[in-house]
Amino acid sequence: MAAPVTKGQEVELQIDSLAFGGNGVARLDGFVVFVRSGLPGDRVRARVTKVKKGYAEAFRTELLAPGPDRVEPVCAHFPACGGCRFQDLSYDAQLETKAAQVRDALVRLGGIAEPPLEPIVPAASQYG
């Protein structure tokens, strides 16, 4: 599939999920675009920074509509310091996303059809 975007182009995207590492995953005509600072459910405007054969990378330039799990970060230094990548994502959504990523790695990379993972029960958040 030929890339439907070019480096430097601005596009509107709907973020579907999070990739391992924290970038939002969007699709443009089926072509994957990884978006820095994009969270699931967000509608964003993003500038493309890199185009490869099977994907593109972009950074969010504008949040057009926030996703349902986006929250206000509690730290005045977010996102500049980078120590708390998911402060703008609700704690429950963080747990679900991280569990799904572990499950995916065990199934896809580890070949474990049904990983023996315990259900996640959110503990009291340190933020609220």
Side-chain angles (χ1 to χ4, degrees):
M1 165 184 282
V5 294
T6 57
K7 185 176 178 180
Q9 181 180 359
E10 282 213 7
V11 292
E12 283 191 22
L13 299 166
Q14 180 73 35
I15 308 298
D16 299 321
S17 60
L18 285 176
F20 186 78
N23 289 331
V25 179
R27 287 178 174 72
L28 185 62
D29 300 328
F31 190 78
V32 174
V33 181
F34 295 105
V35 182
R36 270 181 286 152
S37 300
L39 295 177
D42 285 353
R43 182 81 184 155
V44 302
R45 181 177 317 281
R47 178 169 293 125
V48 178
T49 57
K50 183 186 290 185
V51 179
K52 295 289 190 177
K53 183 177 179 180
Y55 68 94
E57 295 178 12
F59 68 91
R60 186 188 80 200
T61 57
E62 184 179 356
L63 179 62
L64 302 173
D69 294 314
R70 183 175 279 280
V71 296
E72 194 64 34
V74 296
C75 180
H77 303 287
F78 179 83
C81 83
C84 302
R85 167 58 193 95
F86 294 116
Q87 262 199 34
D88 52 353
L89 185 62
S90 75
Y91 187 67
D92 288 347
Q94 289 180 44
L95 292 176
E96 290 171 16
T97 297
K98 291 173 184 178
Q101 289 177 349
V102 169
R103 185 175 291 104
D104 176 65
L106 291 171
V107 171
R108 192 170 44 83
L109 302 174
I112 302 170
E114 294 185 34
L117 298 177
E118 297 291 324
I120 293 179
V121 178
S125 169
Q126 63 180 349
Y127 300 114

